[in-house]
Amino acid sequence: MSIKTSIPKVDGMGLVLGKPAYTDDLAPRDALIVKVLRSPHAHAKITSIDVSSALAIPEIKCVLTHENVPDHVFSRAGQGFPEPSPYDARILNKTVRYIGDAVAVIAGATEKVVDLAMSKIKVSYEVLPAIIDFEEAMDHKVLIHANDETSSMFPIGHDAKRNLAAQYEMKIGDMGQTLDSCDVVIKERYFTQAQAHAMTEPHSAVAYYDFQDRLTIISATQTPFHVRRILAKNLNIPLSTIRVIKPRIGGGYGGKQAIHGEFFVALVTQMTKRPAKLIYTRKEVFTASYTRHQMRIDITLGAMNDGTLKAIDVDILSNTGAYGEHALTVLMVAGSKTLPLYNHVDAVGFRGDVVYTNLTPAGAFRGYGAIQGNFALESIMDELADKLKLDPIELRRKNMIHEGETSKIFEVMGEGTEGTAMTVESCKLEECLDSVLTTLDWQKKYPRTQVDEHTVRGVGLALAMQGSGIPYIDMASAILKLNDDGFFNLLIGATDLGTGSDTILSQIAAETLGVPDDKIIVYSSDTDLTPFDTGAYASSTTYISGHSVRIAAERMREAIVEKANRFFKVTDAQFDGENITAADTVISLKEFATTLYYSQQQEQLVAHGSYVGTKSPPPYMVGACEVEVDKRTGRIKVLEYHGAVDCGTPINPNLARIQVEGALLQGIGMTLYEEVNYLENGSVFNNSFMRYKVPTRMDVGPMHVSFEESYEPSGPYGAKSVGEIGIDTPPAAIANAIFNATGVRIRSLPITSESLWNALNQK
């Protein structure tokens, strides 16, 4: 049938052929061009702003400043409600907090005239001291959100007077006593960097009034329903007057989970009654959207000489930049999606501070804290093995989680709130480990191979886990409609970012109904037409939205059979996906549906399903690689990368494999190539693809992805998530491989040729 079948993406051919599908393709032809004047200062107050010369240009229709837009403090993060991020942003503010912060919005007939108008806006600033180094931010004499009426909807540790966007602490067991009882205690510090999302399509938004004067927003967003809620609240208009349409999206990786240009186009349309569109330049994407949270991670392990892990203690300092979107939740995921890997310990400690700086804001990014936490945990596990003179594989086998076990972390730590207790009902971590050891030929290559006098190869490995949605928060719903002729419309609020979620959700519907895949016509997502879904984030779509589709399809089957019973005046009609059978009579679904709507009973069959998760079953993965190092130059080359994944049942194995491969390459990019570089004044130096380097497929050797299937009882057809897990292992696996090759431990990302060469020459 449909599950575990690698059918092509339902939107693939249209996109390949260049059919109009994206936000800019769908903008009205007469849409005003909207651009944003951005701050040249990292921290400043606007003392005056004169837009008269700009407005004097006839083709300019609107200029927005802090003086003529709603003045609410809110969070741009597209998260559930109540929101676990501080309210610290305004649509346009009198104070600017990073180079690239919005100062004014200009709308005009053409790009040329808008650029001219922008050059004529006169802004006077009182330049304020700025904080660029995040390690100096907490309790700094400079307050980044001083007197700005910031707040939070519930306690998140927000304290603007200390430059704290959020703070969290938890502990299980007696850490001091446990560490005192250990044979070995090891403590190290790791750094991870700000990374850019580098998605193909820039942030884009369009606004217009429809013929009923309803404000319509077309946006490349991962969270259309959150966008509608946040817009309505802060524009002071009823939710019912806003419609948000998500067209096809050219990648998001978390960067499109939040509000970016939607306010600006909405306000321009409100003021001018004209359609408006804002397409970010690539420079704006780099400087004025989001980065990954930069982190400093101090981690302590306590263990016995036989390798029994007794204690894990983690202390994190996270840099959220100028605003605190996702500050708390990313921090907590750094612990909640890593610490349960080693669940036999007696004591666990986790604490963290998320600080404001005058840099580009950080936000959601694939891996969402787990990749940072995993780098530290899986690096120090190898360091512990080295100290204990144990095999790092056996150290992991001795301490890692298994099927049927649990972790207190699940109960204590969620994303912004307490977690949910659960037992792991599907876990093939042991099989994943065996798989990569075999395919990489680990025993033959570990720890190193000397190629020649200057060249050496090493292998490294890391375990990882993620989650499948946020329990009791992530909710999705689906509607199925049977049409005459016997095909179905599947309406979902889930957001396909290019991941193929429309395809796998239609597969779940087809499997449940027992019909061919091409009988499912899928629509996602439009806040007027499709049902509610919290959005595409937290690895939730397959698990959460998939369940809602399954439920809707099961109800549709029941509705078809019920109608057939009435049609045939029987009680035991059967539906096999193609035909309906009652006694000796057989009628096709096509004929039945046509009869149902045109001549008999005449009732539209519609079924719906809603689902909210009560647990978040982790997918698991082991990543292993072989790297080659030229000790003369520090040049590092990933010769091959092997990933074995337990995502439960892969609904569409090819799309699942593509997800993992893409995530692996993104993780390798974070490990070896990518870093948002700031100059001393806080500006982003590498704000183009000419300067910001992401690896291409040509930069990395073969990637081998395999699946160690499990069956997750709580998942739709046994499925768990697969969207994020692939990015988590490369930093630690590559760092471990470099250590095994050279004997040099690098604890700061990215690991560049320069940093390795310096370390080699200080050895």
Side-chain angles (χ1 to χ4, degrees), residues 338-584:
T338 57
L339 295 173
L341 277 172
Y342 303 109
N343 62 327
H344 302 153
V345 295
D346 296 334
V348 183
F350 183 90
R351 71 190 67 82
D353 303 298
V354 190
V355 295
Y356 290 115
T357 57
N358 293 111
L359 298 173
T360 298
F365 198 146
R366 192 183 209 168
Y368 203 82
I371 186 172
Q372 294 99 316
N374 189 278
F375 170 57
L377 180 61
E378 285 298 282
S379 292
I380 201 170
M381 283 296 286
D382 262 36
E383 297 203 61
L384 177 64
D386 186 55
K387 191 174 183 67
L388 292 171
K389 302 190 185 311
L390 294 175
D391 183 331
I393 307 303
E394 296 311 312
L395 179 66
R396 287 177 170 82
R397 287 193 197 276
K398 189 178 184 70
N399 294 286
M400 68 189 192
I401 195 168
H402 290 87
E403 201 166 272
E405 297 180 351
T406 187
S407 166
K408 188 71 173 175
I409 299 295
F410 293 140
E411 178 184 344
V412 174
M413 295 183 71
E415 291 191 29
T417 61
E418 292 180 354
T420 303
M422 65 176 178
T423 298
V424 174
E425 297 183 277
S426 59
C427 176
K428 300 301 179 189
L429 198 49
E430 192 90 41
E431 289 82 352
C432 290
L433 185 54
D434 291 337
S435 175
V436 298
L437 293 176
T438 300
T439 57
L440 185 60
D441 201 3
W442 179 274
Q443 291 298 333
K444 182 179 177 181
K445 298 175 179 175
Y446 177 78
R448 72 181 62 82
T449 305
Q450 193 75 38
V451 178
D452 56 37
E453 181 183 358
H454 307 292
T455 309
V456 63
R457 295 175 177 177
V459 292
L461 173 148
L463 316 185
M465 60 169 285
Q466 198 77 32
S468 300
I470 308 172
Y472 299 104
I473 292 178
D474 285 348
M475 177 269 194
S477 45
I479 293 173
L480 263 171
K481 176 169 70 77
L482 173 64
N483 297 289
D484 48 333
D485 208 38
F487 70 97
F488 300 85
N489 290 123
L490 173 61
L491 310 178
I492 48 177
T495 307
D496 191 331
L497 313 177
T499 58
S501 65
D502 280 3
T503 306
I504 67 103
L505 294 177
S506 68
Q507 288 180 261
I508 290 173
E511 179 79 14
T512 309
L513 289 164
V515 303
D517 299 307
D518 62 4
K519 293 295 183 185
I520 308 295
I521 311 300
V522 60
Y523 291 93
S524 70
S525 55
D526 178 329
T527 56
D528 266 14
L529 304 179
T530 59
F532 183 83
D533 189 297
T534 44
Y537 57 88
S539 292
S540 63
T541 301
T542 299
Y543 185 75
I544 304 291
S545 304
H547 262 311
S548 72
V549 171
R550 177 191 57 78
I551 294 168
E554 287 175 350
R555 289 176 175 171
M556 176 57 76
R557 280 192 69 94
E558 292 170 0
I560 292 171
V561 170
E562 180 189 347
K563 282 294 176 186
N565 282 336
R566 290 170 57 187
F567 182 81
F568 289 110
K569 296 183 173 55
V570 299
T571 58
D572 58 352
Q574 303 290 318
F575 172 51
D576 65 5
E578 182 176 359
N579 296 309
I580 297 163
T581 305
D584 297 329

Side-chain angles (χ1 to χ4, degrees), residues 600-612:
Q600 295 192 36
Q601 300 191 48
Q602 291 185 282
E603 179 184 345
Q604 171 72 61
L605 292 193
V606 178
H608 73 278
S610 293
Y611 184 78
V612 59

